[in-house]
Amino acid sequence: GAVVSQHPSRVICKSGTSVKIECRSLDFQATTMFWYRQFPKKSLMLMATSNEGSKATYEQGVEKDKFLINHASLTLSTLTVTSAHPEDSSFYICSARGGRASGRGEQFFGPGTRLTVL
Amino acid sequence: GQQLNQSPQSMFIQEGEDVSMNCTSSSIFNTWLWYKQDPGEGPVLLIALYKAGELTSNGRLTAQFGITRKDSFLNISASIPSDVGIYFCAGRDTGNQFYFGTGTSLTVIP
């Protein structure tokens, strides 16, 4: 149990375009989902926390208009990188928490999405 | 937000050796978690700890929740090449905030 999927796993886009990344909890209901960004050989940097049906809470320094997060259901959250630029290239990872699998607060991570902006 | 201090930052060891890494926080935690991340993948939960002094094993991995509730340790015995990866500690404080460690990169030399 506690499987989280992400789609796409890898995306290459042109500068100025928008990219949507989906995060799904496959076998549990995720009351909370988290979006992280990770640079090579670095730790995960929390970007935002989203609770189902409410607006996401963004960490300091993260532009909410650039990184749009929608958590429309208990099994799906999306991150849209708007008007992407090369500096947005990174590894984006989501995690989910909720249900029996996260009875004590564990987060379960998706496999990540590698975004490359040309 | 707070980031947990994890050490060592990287380790290069011979296959068969034991490995130890630790994580410290500036505040009291209610939960400590240890994850492993393979290159290009998301972190995978290895061990979860829920109370001070708790010692939990998962195969060759053993982790402990420090008595002070401000630290945790992960040990890997008899390392093998597939243990290579980045290990992250994570924890949840009394305010239910979740924090990640800075990571320990492990290289196992056959």
Side-chain angles (χ1 to χ4, degrees):
Chain A
V3 179
V4 177
S5 70
Q6 258 182 264
H7 178 80
S9 58
R10 188 179 292 266
V11 57
I12 301 172
C13 69
K14 291 183 179 180
S15 184
T17 60
S18 294
V19 174
K20 180 185 283 189
I21 303 170
E22 292 186 349
C23 178
R24 293 182 185 273
S25 57
L26 299 185
D27 52 0
F28 67 102
Q29 293 186 323
T31 51
T32 307
M33 284 187 169
F34 305 84
W35 287 95
Y36 293 85
R37 182 173 180 176
Q38 186 178 33
F39 292 103
K41 298 186 179 180
K42 296 293 184 183
S43 186
L44 286 76
M45 182 186 79
L46 180 64
M47 298 174 66
T49 302
S50 74
N51 292 297
E52 186 265 339
S54 61
K55 289 185 178 180
T57 302
Y58 290 81
E59 295 297 303
Q60 192 172 10
V62 179
E63 299 175 59
K64 63 180 180 180
D65 294 329
K66 180 165 185 64
F67 299 99
L68 300 178
I69 292 172
N70 184 287
H71 192 165
S73 77
L74 284 171
T75 59
L76 173 65
S77 176
T78 60
L79 167 68
T80 301
V81 183
T82 61
S83 187
H85 290 284
E87 58 265 28
D88 298 324
S89 299
S90 191
F91 193 52
Y92 292 88
I93 308 175
C94 74
S95 70
R97 183 175 75 197
R100 291 182 182 177
S102 301
R104 301 191 190 189
E106 298 93 333
Q107 292 184 26
F108 295 92
F109 287 84
T113 297
R114 171 72 61 194
L115 171 64
T116 303
V117 185
L118 302 176
Chain B
Q2 173 185 194
Q3 195 157 55
L4 304 177
N5 193 17
Q6 195 172 336
S7 66
Q9 187 174 10
S10 62
M11 302 180 74
F12 293 81
I13 61 168
Q14 290 287 138
E15 182 177 359
E17 289 183 354
D18 297 342
V19 173
S20 289
M21 59 190 79
N22 69 77
C23 197
T24 59
S25 69
S26 58
S27 58
I28 291 174
F29 276 31
N30 288 333
T31 303
W32 282 99
L33 306 168
W34 284 93
Y35 292 87
K36 182 192 178 197
Q37 185 179 26
D38 290 327
E41 301 289 332
V44 174
L45 182 64
L46 299 173
I47 294 178
L49 304 159
Y50 304 112
K51 56 184 180 181
E54 181 179 354
L55 186 70
T56 298
S57 293
N58 178 5
R60 292 177 296 104
L61 278 63
T62 301
Q64 184 163 26
F65 193 136
I67 290 292
T68 65
R69 295 173 65 191
K70 291 184 177 182
D71 57 8
S72 180
F73 304 86
L74 174 70
N75 295 317
I76 305 173
S77 63
S79 60
I80 59 178
S82 61
D83 291 334
V84 165
I86 302 179
Y87 292 79
F88 290 102
C89 63
R92 188 166 58 92
D93 67 11
T94 54
N96 211 34
Q97 292 298 306
F98 192 86
Y99 302 97
F100 258 94
T102 48
T104 295
S105 174
L106 177 64
T107 301
V108 179
I109 303 166

